């Protein structure tokens, strides 16, 4: 390298140093514009470089582009230059690129940064970060924002960069980082009296705190305070309030208050319509659909499809993934496994494109539920385990909760009672801490069923009394209520309260059938043995009525168990006659 460069005159080395700062490949006109020399000096240097085997034509644009024959040649020229002079060259290159190649955003940002020209580096780094964010290149966007951060010269610029960094950190599941960045930005905007921006960032902070496992009651209190303050601010906070109402809806549902959850979701949809922002409208429609899943899955699907159409028009990949996930849940509740798997797999592919590990975990969890209900326990365990690992990596206690809950169900269904009981206890404790009422109740009842299967009637009775106390004031159906009902029926039957057990069964079965056929079919099977000796004809009639739907829905394992139970009930019916 030294021998080759030594063949060049001092003037040519100086000219080609500017070319080397541009990169291994450079455009002659750009080098001239950047102050490498006038046209004759540039052409003389190029001729010398080609003769010395330092340069070669890149074969483009009639010989106007050249490249160094080895990357180390350009590197040596750059490192040999005086550092102060090198910074000036970087600035001249950046200015020349602004004139000749204004779309080379990342290169311009890099040259301004290396030149120490902070205003230009900040401006172009922010544009580069936004371009990367739009194509879900989150790591690249973060790198550009770090460049912007170190080039910010005012507290206002620094606060703006931190908000952008927090937004990306939230999107990729770096929740603790997002929370810390929100703290720093809130202090600035509050000090400046910028109420709208302060409230928007406080809302983001509550979102990430919620995902980190903040108790739901605490989240609710913070959101209600934000709601009051946003209302006081008026129309300028309406867009942020749409997002707040979505979070309020989700928090109410976590606490088991589904009516208020629906009300908040519908208010958010109405407000989004007035604001007129397509993204907010799609997000609000998705939330309304989610609140209708238990009551009216088909109406829920209509809302999700409307949201999906908007997201697709916008090219919002993450929004499309979330909506396909919701449609997958609809089809899961209907027992349409083929459609459910199709929606969830489409969602998984989109989530990976969007670089969203947290959402990928949610989708794996929901796909695992499909396999669990269709009897493929090995695949279900694999997906639940992968989801749990993803949620642990991003430290999302709220989502780890669901992975643990489903793993507990899986172990109980497979007869691994000790493991199931332990997981249910862990789940109930975590659900209580984060404030997820439905999961806490279901986990308590699940632990009771595991105790009952192990012959521990006293422990099962205590679990039923505790879970029944939590549901007796609720008329709505929720996932996990079937566990409470099954536990109650079996405890009552074991205690000799046959009539009460049968009444309890019929009430729960009727409520379940109106909302979730799988839960109704599972409940009937789970209670059949305990009730068989008391009213074999009634139990046989219920099982007969469900069997064909179970088979048609593809509940493979449930269908097998139905077949075994029906053989046993046949003998009981004959003896009773």
């Amino acid at each position: 390298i030294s021998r080759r460069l030594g063949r060049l005159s001092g003037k040519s080395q100086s000219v080609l140093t500017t070319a080397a700062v541009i990169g291994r490949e450079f455009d002659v006109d750009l080098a001239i514009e950047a102050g490498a020399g006038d046209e004759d000096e540039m052409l003389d240097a190029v001729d010398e470089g080609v003769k010395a085997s330092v340069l070669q034509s890149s074969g483009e644009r009639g010989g106007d582009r050249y490249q160094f024959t080895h990357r180390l040649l350009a590197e040596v020229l750059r490192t040999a230059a005086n550092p102060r002079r090198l910074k000036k060259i970087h600035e001249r290159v950046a200015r020349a690129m602004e004139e000749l190649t204004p779309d080379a955003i990342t290169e311009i940002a890099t040259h301004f940064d290396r030149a120490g020209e902070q205003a230009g580096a900040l401006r172009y780094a922010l544009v580069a970060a936004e371009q990367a964010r739009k194509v879900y290149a989150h790591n690249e966007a973060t790198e550009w924002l770090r460049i912007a951060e170190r080039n910010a010269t005012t507290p206002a610029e620094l606060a703006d960069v931190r908000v952008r960094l927090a937004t990306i950190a939230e999107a990729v599941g770096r929740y603790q980082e997002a929370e810390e960045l929100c703290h720093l930005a809130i202090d600035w905007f509050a000090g400046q009296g910028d109420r709208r921006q302060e409230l928007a960032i406080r809302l983001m902070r509550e979102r990430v705190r919620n995902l980190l496992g903040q108790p739901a009651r605490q989240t609710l209190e913070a959101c209600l305070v934000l709601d009051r303050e946003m209302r006081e601010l008026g129309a300028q906070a309406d867009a942020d309030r749409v997002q707040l109402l979505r979070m309020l809806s989700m928090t109410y549902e976590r606490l088991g208050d589904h009516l208020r959850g629906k009300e908040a979701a519908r208010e958010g949809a109405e407000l989004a319509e007035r604001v007129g922002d397509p993204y907010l409208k799609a997000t609000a429609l998705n939330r309304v659909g989610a609140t209708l899943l238990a009551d009216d899955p088909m109406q829920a699907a209509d809302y999700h499809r409307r949201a999906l159409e908007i997201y697709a028009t916008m090219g919002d990949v993450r929004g499309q993934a979330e909506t396909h996930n919701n449609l997958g849940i609809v089809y899961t509740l209907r027992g349409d496994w083929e459609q459910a798997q199709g929606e969830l797999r489409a969602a998984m592919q989109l989530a990976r494109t969007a670089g969203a590990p947290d959402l990928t975990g949610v989708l794996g969890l929901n796909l695992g539920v499909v396999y669990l209900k269709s009897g493929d326990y090995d695949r279900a365990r694999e997906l639940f385990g992968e989801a749990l690992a993803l949620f642990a990596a991003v430290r999302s206690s709220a989502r780890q909760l669901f992975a643990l809950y489903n793993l507990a169900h899986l172990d109980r269904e497979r007869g691994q009672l000790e493991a199931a009981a332990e997981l249910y206890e862990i789940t109930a404790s975590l659900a209580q801490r984060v404030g997820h009422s439905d999961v806490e109740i279901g986990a308590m009842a699940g632990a009771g069923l595991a105790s009952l299967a192990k012959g521990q009637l006293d422990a099962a009775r205590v679990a039923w009394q505790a879970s029944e106390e939590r549901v007796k004031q609720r008329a709505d159906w929720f996932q996990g209520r079937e566990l409470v009902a099954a536990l109650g029926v079996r405890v009552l039957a074991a205690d000799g309260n046959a009539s009460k057990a049968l009444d309890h069964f019929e009430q729960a079965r009727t409520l379940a059938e109106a909302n979730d056929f799988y839960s109704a079919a599972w409940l009937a099977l789970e209670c059949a043995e305990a009730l068989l000796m008391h009213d074999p004809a009634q139990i046989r009639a219920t099982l007969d009525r469900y069997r064909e739907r179970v088979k048609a829905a593809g509940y493979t394992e449930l269908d097998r168990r139905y077949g075994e139970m029906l053989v046993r009930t046949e003998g009981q019916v004959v003896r009773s006659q």
Side-chain angles (χ1 to χ4, degrees), residues 445 449 464 467-468 471 477 480-492 501 504-505 507-509 512 522-523 526-527:
L449 286 170
W464 176 53
S467 56
E468 179 69 9
V471 301
W477 181 261
R481 186 161 191 156
E482 71 278 11
L483 301 176
V484 182
L487 179 60
V489 169
R490 293 181 59 184
V491 167
L492 287 168
H504 197 73
F505 168 70
Q507 290 174 10
R509 185 195 58 75
W522 176 88
L523 178 64
E526 187 73 13
C527 298

PDB file of all heavy atoms in Angstrom, residues 445 449 464 467-468 471 477 480-492 501 504-505 507-509 512 522-523 526-527:
ATOM      1  N   ALA A 445     -58.822 -21.587  40.557  1.00  0.00           N
ATOM      2  CA  ALA A 445     -59.681 -22.754  40.298  1.00  0.00           C
ATOM      3  C   ALA A 445     -58.880 -23.887  39.673  1.00  0.00           C
ATOM      4  O   ALA A 445     -59.093 -25.061  39.988  1.00  0.00           O
ATOM      5  CB  ALA A 445     -60.831 -22.353  39.388  1.00  0.00           C
ATOM      6  N   LEU A 449     -58.573 -27.771  40.886  1.00  0.00           N
ATOM      7  CA  LEU A 449     -58.817 -28.982  40.090  1.00  0.00           C
ATOM      8  C   LEU A 449     -57.632 -29.939  40.167  1.00  0.00           C
ATOM      9  O   LEU A 449     -57.806 -31.160  40.219  1.00  0.00           O
ATOM     10  CB  LEU A 449     -59.105 -28.598  38.636  1.00  0.00           C
ATOM     11  CG  LEU A 449     -60.479 -27.986  38.355  1.00  0.00           C
ATOM     12  CD1 LEU A 449     -60.529 -27.428  36.940  1.00  0.00           C
ATOM     13  CD2 LEU A 449     -61.577 -29.028  38.552  1.00  0.00           C
ATOM     14  N   TRP A 464     -62.113 -23.634  45.697  1.00  0.00           N
ATOM     15  CA  TRP A 464     -63.411 -23.318  45.104  1.00  0.00           C
ATOM     16  C   TRP A 464     -64.092 -22.167  45.841  1.00  0.00           C
ATOM     17  O   TRP A 464     -64.614 -21.236  45.229  1.00  0.00           O
ATOM     18  CB  TRP A 464     -64.336 -24.538  45.119  1.00  0.00           C
ATOM     19  CG  TRP A 464     -65.713 -24.198  44.606  1.00  0.00           C
ATOM     20  CD1 TRP A 464     -66.010 -23.587  43.421  1.00  0.00           C
ATOM     21  CD2 TRP A 464     -66.958 -24.396  45.275  1.00  0.00           C
ATOM     22  NE1 TRP A 464     -67.367 -23.409  43.283  1.00  0.00           N
ATOM     23  CE2 TRP A 464     -67.977 -23.902  44.419  1.00  0.00           C
ATOM     24  CE3 TRP A 464     -67.320 -24.960  46.498  1.00  0.00           C
ATOM     25  CZ2 TRP A 464     -69.323 -23.947  44.752  1.00  0.00           C
ATOM     26  CZ3 TRP A 464     -68.668 -25.011  46.825  1.00  0.00           C
ATOM     27  CH2 TRP A 464     -69.651 -24.505  45.964  1.00  0.00           C
ATOM     28  N   SER A 467     -62.394 -18.889  44.813  1.00  0.00           N
ATOM     29  CA  SER A 467     -62.680 -18.450  43.439  1.00  0.00           C
ATOM     30  C   SER A 467     -64.159 -18.150  43.240  1.00  0.00           C
ATOM     31  O   SER A 467     -64.519 -17.193  42.536  1.00  0.00           O
ATOM     32  CB  SER A 467     -62.210 -19.513  42.439  1.00  0.00           C
ATOM     33  OG  SER A 467     -62.785 -20.771  42.710  1.00  0.00           O
ATOM     34  N   GLU A 468     -65.026 -18.933  43.877  1.00  0.00           N
ATOM     35  CA  GLU A 468     -66.466 -18.697  43.745  1.00  0.00           C
ATOM     36  C   GLU A 468     -66.855 -17.351  44.353  1.00  0.00           C
ATOM     37  O   GLU A 468     -67.728 -16.642  43.825  1.00  0.00           O
ATOM     38  CB  GLU A 468     -67.233 -19.832  44.446  1.00  0.00           C
ATOM     39  CG  GLU A 468     -68.743 -19.704  44.409  1.00  0.00           C
ATOM     40  CD  GLU A 468     -69.330 -19.885  43.017  1.00  0.00           C
ATOM     41  OE1 GLU A 468     -68.585 -20.287  42.100  1.00  0.00           O
ATOM     42  OE2 GLU A 468     -70.532 -19.621  42.852  1.00  0.00           O
ATOM     43  N   VAL A 471     -66.457 -14.684  41.762  1.00  0.00           N
ATOM     44  CA  VAL A 471     -67.274 -14.665  40.542  1.00  0.00           C
ATOM     45  C   VAL A 471     -68.775 -14.536  40.806  1.00  0.00           C
ATOM     46  O   VAL A 471     -69.542 -14.295  39.881  1.00  0.00           O
ATOM     47  CB  VAL A 471     -67.041 -15.921  39.671  1.00  0.00           C
ATOM     48  CG1 VAL A 471     -65.602 -16.041  39.262  1.00  0.00           C
ATOM     49  CG2 VAL A 471     -67.514 -17.176  40.367  1.00  0.00           C
ATOM     50  N   TRP A 477     -69.331 -13.833  31.069  1.00  0.00           N
ATOM     51  CA  TRP A 477     -68.483 -14.999  30.850  1.00  0.00           C
ATOM     52  C   TRP A 477     -67.060 -14.512  30.603  1.00  0.00           C
ATOM     53  O   TRP A 477     -66.830 -13.486  29.986  1.00  0.00           O
ATOM     54  CB  TRP A 477     -68.958 -15.804  29.644  1.00  0.00           C
ATOM     55  CG  TRP A 477     -68.103 -17.018  29.427  1.00  0.00           C
ATOM     56  CD1 TRP A 477     -67.083 -17.160  28.534  1.00  0.00           C
ATOM     57  CD2 TRP A 477     -68.161 -18.235  30.168  1.00  0.00           C
ATOM     58  NE1 TRP A 477     -66.507 -18.407  28.667  1.00  0.00           N
ATOM     59  CE2 TRP A 477     -67.149 -19.085  29.665  1.00  0.00           C
ATOM     60  CE3 TRP A 477     -68.981 -18.684  31.199  1.00  0.00           C
ATOM     61  CZ2 TRP A 477     -66.936 -20.356  30.155  1.00  0.00           C
ATOM     62  CZ3 TRP A 477     -68.769 -19.951  31.696  1.00  0.00           C
ATOM     63  CH2 TRP A 477     -67.759 -20.783  31.175  1.00  0.00           C
ATOM     64  N   GLY A 480     -61.722 -18.946  31.885  1.00  0.00           N
ATOM     65  CA  GLY A 480     -61.329 -19.333  33.227  1.00  0.00           C
ATOM     66  C   GLY A 480     -62.527 -19.588  34.119  1.00  0.00           C
ATOM     67  O   GLY A 480     -62.427 -20.282  35.132  1.00  0.00           O
ATOM     68  N   ARG A 481     -63.678 -19.037  33.718  1.00  0.00           N
ATOM     69  CA  ARG A 481     -64.868 -19.263  34.529  1.00  0.00           C
ATOM     70  C   ARG A 481     -65.284 -20.735  34.482  1.00  0.00           C
ATOM     71  O   ARG A 481     -65.853 -21.257  35.446  1.00  0.00           O
ATOM     72  CB  ARG A 481     -66.019 -18.368  34.051  1.00  0.00           C
ATOM     73  CG  ARG A 481     -67.243 -18.469  34.956  1.00  0.00           C
ATOM     74  CD  ARG A 481     -68.199 -17.310  34.820  1.00  0.00           C
ATOM     75  NE  ARG A 481     -69.194 -17.344  35.890  1.00  0.00           N
ATOM     76  CZ  ARG A 481     -69.860 -16.285  36.320  1.00  0.00           C
ATOM     77  NH1 ARG A 481     -69.643 -15.094  35.783  1.00  0.00           N
ATOM     78  NH2 ARG A 481     -70.743 -16.399  37.296  1.00  0.00           N
ATOM     79  N   GLU A 482     -64.998 -21.406  33.375  1.00  0.00           N
ATOM     80  CA  GLU A 482     -65.342 -22.824  33.275  1.00  0.00           C
ATOM     81  C   GLU A 482     -64.563 -23.659  34.298  1.00  0.00           C
ATOM     82  O   GLU A 482     -65.053 -24.690  34.784  1.00  0.00           O
ATOM     83  CB  GLU A 482     -65.086 -23.351  31.855  1.00  0.00           C
ATOM     84  CG  GLU A 482     -63.637 -23.504  31.440  1.00  0.00           C
ATOM     85  CD  GLU A 482     -62.991 -22.217  30.975  1.00  0.00           C
ATOM     86  OE1 GLU A 482     -63.590 -21.127  31.164  1.00  0.00           O
ATOM     87  OE2 GLU A 482     -61.873 -22.286  30.422  1.00  0.00           O
ATOM     88  N   LEU A 483     -63.357 -23.197  34.667  1.00  0.00           N
ATOM     89  CA  LEU A 483     -62.574 -23.901  35.681  1.00  0.00           C
ATOM     90  C   LEU A 483     -63.237 -23.785  37.054  1.00  0.00           C
ATOM     91  O   LEU A 483     -63.300 -24.756  37.813  1.00  0.00           O
ATOM     92  CB  LEU A 483     -61.157 -23.328  35.742  1.00  0.00           C
ATOM     93  CG  LEU A 483     -60.326 -23.377  34.457  1.00  0.00           C
ATOM     94  CD1 LEU A 483     -58.995 -22.674  34.658  1.00  0.00           C
ATOM     95  CD2 LEU A 483     -60.101 -24.808  34.019  1.00  0.00           C
ATOM     96  N   VAL A 484     -63.728 -22.583  37.350  1.00  0.00           N
ATOM     97  CA  VAL A 484     -64.420 -22.365  38.623  1.00  0.00           C
ATOM     98  C   VAL A 484     -65.676 -23.236  38.687  1.00  0.00           C
ATOM     99  O   VAL A 484     -65.957 -23.890  39.705  1.00  0.00           O
ATOM    100  CB  VAL A 484     -64.798 -20.883  38.799  1.00  0.00           C
ATOM    101  CG1 VAL A 484     -65.483 -20.665  40.157  1.00  0.00           C
ATOM    102  CG2 VAL A 484     -63.573 -19.994  38.676  1.00  0.00           C
ATOM    103  N   ALA A 485     -66.432 -23.254  37.580  1.00  0.00           N
ATOM    104  CA  ALA A 485     -67.670 -24.035  37.546  1.00  0.00           C
ATOM    105  C   ALA A 485     -67.389 -25.521  37.710  1.00  0.00           C
ATOM    106  O   ALA A 485     -68.063 -26.215  38.492  1.00  0.00           O
ATOM    107  CB  ALA A 485     -68.400 -23.778  36.226  1.00  0.00           C
ATOM    108  N   ALA A 486     -66.388 -26.043  36.995  1.00  0.00           N
ATOM    109  CA  ALA A 486     -66.063 -27.464  37.080  1.00  0.00           C
ATOM    110  C   ALA A 486     -65.622 -27.839  38.490  1.00  0.00           C
ATOM    111  O   ALA A 486     -66.018 -28.883  39.033  1.00  0.00           O
ATOM    112  CB  ALA A 486     -64.968 -27.807  36.073  1.00  0.00           C
ATOM    113  N   LEU A 487     -64.813 -26.973  39.079  1.00  0.00           N
ATOM    114  CA  LEU A 487     -64.345 -27.244  40.441  1.00  0.00           C
ATOM    115  C   LEU A 487     -65.528 -27.271  41.409  1.00  0.00           C
ATOM    116  O   LEU A 487     -65.630 -28.168  42.263  1.00  0.00           O
ATOM    117  CB  LEU A 487     -63.327 -26.182  40.870  1.00  0.00           C
ATOM    118  CG  LEU A 487     -62.764 -26.308  42.283  1.00  0.00           C
ATOM    119  CD1 LEU A 487     -62.044 -27.644  42.456  1.00  0.00           C
ATOM    120  CD2 LEU A 487     -61.819 -25.133  42.584  1.00  0.00           C
ATOM    121  N   GLY A 488     -66.457 -26.316  41.267  1.00  0.00           N
ATOM    122  CA  GLY A 488     -67.611 -26.268  42.149  1.00  0.00           C
ATOM    123  C   GLY A 488     -68.493 -27.498  42.026  1.00  0.00           C
ATOM    124  O   GLY A 488     -68.930 -28.079  43.032  1.00  0.00           O
ATOM    125  N   VAL A 489     -68.767 -27.911  40.792  1.00  0.00           N
ATOM    126  CA  VAL A 489     -69.602 -29.088  40.558  1.00  0.00           C
ATOM    127  C   VAL A 489     -68.966 -30.316  41.195  1.00  0.00           C
ATOM    128  O   VAL A 489     -69.635 -31.098  41.893  1.00  0.00           O
ATOM    129  CB  VAL A 489     -69.811 -29.311  39.040  1.00  0.00           C
ATOM    130  CG1 VAL A 489     -70.443 -30.676  38.778  1.00  0.00           C
ATOM    131  CG2 VAL A 489     -70.675 -28.197  38.464  1.00  0.00           C
ATOM    132  N   ARG A 490     -67.683 -30.490  40.997  1.00  0.00           N
ATOM    133  CA  ARG A 490     -67.027 -31.696  41.500  1.00  0.00           C
ATOM    134  C   ARG A 490     -66.891 -31.698  43.028  1.00  0.00           C
ATOM    135  O   ARG A 490     -67.008 -32.736  43.667  1.00  0.00           O
ATOM    136  CB  ARG A 490     -65.668 -31.838  40.828  1.00  0.00           C
ATOM    137  CG  ARG A 490     -65.789 -32.134  39.317  1.00  0.00           C
ATOM    138  CD  ARG A 490     -64.446 -32.298  38.655  1.00  0.00           C
ATOM    139  NE  ARG A 490     -63.700 -33.386  39.262  1.00  0.00           N
ATOM    140  CZ  ARG A 490     -62.453 -33.706  38.928  1.00  0.00           C
ATOM    141  NH1 ARG A 490     -61.827 -33.004  37.983  1.00  0.00           N
ATOM    142  NH2 ARG A 490     -61.831 -34.703  39.515  1.00  0.00           N
ATOM    143  N   VAL A 491     -66.662 -30.514  43.611  1.00  0.00           N
ATOM    144  CA  VAL A 491     -66.589 -30.443  45.074  1.00  0.00           C
ATOM    145  C   VAL A 491     -67.956 -30.718  45.685  1.00  0.00           C
ATOM    146  O   VAL A 491     -68.083 -31.479  46.659  1.00  0.00           O
ATOM    147  CB  VAL A 491     -66.056 -29.065  45.523  1.00  0.00           C
ATOM    148  CG1 VAL A 491     -66.281 -28.868  47.029  1.00  0.00           C
ATOM    149  CG2 VAL A 491     -64.571 -28.932  45.200  1.00  0.00           C
ATOM    150  N   LEU A 492     -69.014 -30.121  45.112  1.00  0.00           N
ATOM    151  CA  LEU A 492     -70.365 -30.353  45.614  1.00  0.00           C
ATOM    152  C   LEU A 492     -70.741 -31.827  45.509  1.00  0.00           C
ATOM    153  O   LEU A 492     -71.333 -32.403  46.429  1.00  0.00           O
ATOM    154  CB  LEU A 492     -71.370 -29.492  44.847  1.00  0.00           C
ATOM    155  CG  LEU A 492     -71.347 -27.987  45.155  1.00  0.00           C
ATOM    156  CD1 LEU A 492     -72.173 -27.217  44.120  1.00  0.00           C
ATOM    157  CD2 LEU A 492     -71.863 -27.717  46.571  1.00  0.00           C
ATOM    158  N   ALA A 501     -75.146 -29.869  42.914  1.00  0.00           N
ATOM    159  CA  ALA A 501     -74.091 -30.010  41.904  1.00  0.00           C
ATOM    160  C   ALA A 501     -74.673 -29.999  40.500  1.00  0.00           C
ATOM    161  O   ALA A 501     -74.139 -29.353  39.588  1.00  0.00           O
ATOM    162  CB  ALA A 501     -73.316 -31.303  42.142  1.00  0.00           C
ATOM    163  N   HIS A 504     -75.847 -26.463  39.637  1.00  0.00           N
ATOM    164  CA  HIS A 504     -74.663 -25.639  39.394  1.00  0.00           C
ATOM    165  C   HIS A 504     -74.094 -25.929  37.998  1.00  0.00           C
ATOM    166  O   HIS A 504     -73.720 -25.008  37.262  1.00  0.00           O
ATOM    167  CB  HIS A 504     -73.605 -25.945  40.463  1.00  0.00           C
ATOM    168  CG  HIS A 504     -72.526 -24.922  40.577  1.00  0.00           C
ATOM    169  ND1 HIS A 504     -72.715 -23.679  41.142  1.00  0.00           N
ATOM    170  CD2 HIS A 504     -71.213 -24.955  40.182  1.00  0.00           C
ATOM    171  CE1 HIS A 504     -71.584 -22.997  41.097  1.00  0.00           C
ATOM    172  NE2 HIS A 504     -70.654 -23.758  40.514  1.00  0.00           N
ATOM    173  N   PHE A 505     -74.067 -27.194  37.646  1.00  0.00           N
ATOM    174  CA  PHE A 505     -73.562 -27.602  36.340  1.00  0.00           C
ATOM    175  C   PHE A 505     -74.405 -27.019  35.211  1.00  0.00           C
ATOM    176  O   PHE A 505     -73.885 -26.455  34.251  1.00  0.00           O
ATOM    177  CB  PHE A 505     -73.534 -29.131  36.252  1.00  0.00           C
ATOM    178  CG  PHE A 505     -73.296 -29.641  34.856  1.00  0.00           C
ATOM    179  CD1 PHE A 505     -72.073 -29.495  34.241  1.00  0.00           C
ATOM    180  CD2 PHE A 505     -74.329 -30.265  34.142  1.00  0.00           C
ATOM    181  CE1 PHE A 505     -71.855 -29.960  32.957  1.00  0.00           C
ATOM    182  CE2 PHE A 505     -74.121 -30.721  32.859  1.00  0.00           C
ATOM    183  CZ  PHE A 505     -72.880 -30.570  32.261  1.00  0.00           C
ATOM    184  N   GLN A 507     -76.453 -24.449  35.153  1.00  0.00           N
ATOM    185  CA  GLN A 507     -76.337 -22.987  35.054  1.00  0.00           C
ATOM    186  C   GLN A 507     -75.039 -22.587  34.360  1.00  0.00           C
ATOM    187  O   GLN A 507     -75.030 -21.747  33.453  1.00  0.00           O
ATOM    188  CB  GLN A 507     -76.401 -22.366  36.453  1.00  0.00           C
ATOM    189  CG  GLN A 507     -77.774 -22.459  37.111  1.00  0.00           C
ATOM    190  CD  GLN A 507     -77.737 -21.954  38.550  1.00  0.00           C
ATOM    191  OE1 GLN A 507     -76.754 -21.366  38.999  1.00  0.00           O
ATOM    192  NE2 GLN A 507     -78.809 -22.203  39.287  1.00  0.00           N
ATOM    193  N   ALA A 508     -73.948 -23.219  34.781  1.00  0.00           N
ATOM    194  CA  ALA A 508     -72.648 -22.880  34.198  1.00  0.00           C
ATOM    195  C   ALA A 508     -72.561 -23.323  32.743  1.00  0.00           C
ATOM    196  O   ALA A 508     -72.044 -22.595  31.885  1.00  0.00           O
ATOM    197  CB  ALA A 508     -71.532 -23.537  35.017  1.00  0.00           C
ATOM    198  N   ARG A 509     -73.071 -24.524  32.444  1.00  0.00           N
ATOM    199  CA  ARG A 509     -73.033 -25.037  31.070  1.00  0.00           C
ATOM    200  C   ARG A 509     -73.817 -24.134  30.131  1.00  0.00           C
ATOM    201  O   ARG A 509     -73.383 -23.842  29.014  1.00  0.00           O
ATOM    202  CB  ARG A 509     -73.590 -26.467  31.026  1.00  0.00           C
ATOM    203  CG  ARG A 509     -73.488 -27.128  29.663  1.00  0.00           C
ATOM    204  CD  ARG A 509     -74.368 -28.355  29.574  1.00  0.00           C
ATOM    205  NE  ARG A 509     -75.760 -28.037  29.827  1.00  0.00           N
ATOM    206  CZ  ARG A 509     -76.569 -27.416  28.955  1.00  0.00           C
ATOM    207  NH1 ARG A 509     -76.108 -27.035  27.776  1.00  0.00           N
ATOM    208  NH2 ARG A 509     -77.830 -27.178  29.270  1.00  0.00           N
ATOM    209  N   ALA A 512     -71.841 -20.977  29.572  1.00  0.00           N
ATOM    210  CA  ALA A 512     -70.680 -21.261  28.731  1.00  0.00           C
ATOM    211  C   ALA A 512     -71.083 -21.474  27.277  1.00  0.00           C
ATOM    212  O   ALA A 512     -70.457 -20.942  26.360  1.00  0.00           O
ATOM    213  CB  ALA A 512     -69.939 -22.489  29.255  1.00  0.00           C
ATOM    214  N   TRP A 522     -65.859 -28.765  27.201  1.00  0.00           N
ATOM    215  CA  TRP A 522     -64.864 -29.181  28.184  1.00  0.00           C
ATOM    216  C   TRP A 522     -65.512 -29.331  29.566  1.00  0.00           C
ATOM    217  O   TRP A 522     -65.253 -30.293  30.289  1.00  0.00           O
ATOM    218  CB  TRP A 522     -63.739 -28.154  28.246  1.00  0.00           C
ATOM    219  CG  TRP A 522     -62.722 -28.470  29.305  1.00  0.00           C
ATOM    220  CD1 TRP A 522     -61.622 -29.250  29.174  1.00  0.00           C
ATOM    221  CD2 TRP A 522     -62.753 -28.035  30.666  1.00  0.00           C
ATOM    222  NE1 TRP A 522     -60.952 -29.329  30.373  1.00  0.00           N
ATOM    223  CE2 TRP A 522     -61.630 -28.596  31.301  1.00  0.00           C
ATOM    224  CE3 TRP A 522     -63.621 -27.234  31.408  1.00  0.00           C
ATOM    225  CZ2 TRP A 522     -61.347 -28.373  32.646  1.00  0.00           C
ATOM    226  CZ3 TRP A 522     -63.352 -27.010  32.748  1.00  0.00           C
ATOM    227  CH2 TRP A 522     -62.223 -27.577  33.359  1.00  0.00           C
ATOM    228  N   LEU A 523     -66.354 -28.370  29.933  1.00  0.00           N
ATOM    229  CA  LEU A 523     -67.021 -28.400  31.232  1.00  0.00           C
ATOM    230  C   LEU A 523     -67.882 -29.650  31.378  1.00  0.00           C
ATOM    231  O   LEU A 523     -67.867 -30.317  32.424  1.00  0.00           O
ATOM    232  CB  LEU A 523     -67.880 -27.141  31.396  1.00  0.00           C
ATOM    233  CG  LEU A 523     -68.703 -27.013  32.670  1.00  0.00           C
ATOM    234  CD1 LEU A 523     -67.797 -26.936  33.894  1.00  0.00           C
ATOM    235  CD2 LEU A 523     -69.604 -25.782  32.602  1.00  0.00           C
ATOM    236  N   GLU A 526     -65.594 -32.596  31.892  1.00  0.00           N
ATOM    237  CA  GLU A 526     -64.902 -32.525  33.174  1.00  0.00           C
ATOM    238  C   GLU A 526     -65.818 -32.912  34.338  1.00  0.00           C
ATOM    239  O   GLU A 526     -65.358 -33.472  35.335  1.00  0.00           O
ATOM    240  CB  GLU A 526     -64.358 -31.098  33.383  1.00  0.00           C
ATOM    241  CG  GLU A 526     -63.476 -30.912  34.593  1.00  0.00           C
ATOM    242  CD  GLU A 526     -62.096 -31.542  34.438  1.00  0.00           C
ATOM    243  OE1 GLU A 526     -61.717 -31.917  33.305  1.00  0.00           O
ATOM    244  OE2 GLU A 526     -61.393 -31.660  35.467  1.00  0.00           O
ATOM    245  N   CYS A 527     -67.114 -32.626  34.188  1.00  0.00           N
ATOM    246  CA  CYS A 527     -68.061 -32.895  35.274  1.00  0.00           C
ATOM    247  C   CYS A 527     -68.792 -34.231  35.119  1.00  0.00           C
ATOM    248  O   CYS A 527     -69.500 -34.665  36.047  1.00  0.00           O
ATOM    249  CB  CYS A 527     -69.104 -31.771  35.352  1.00  0.00           C
ATOM    250  SG  CYS A 527     -68.408 -30.157  35.731  1.00  0.00           S
TER     251      CYS A 527
END
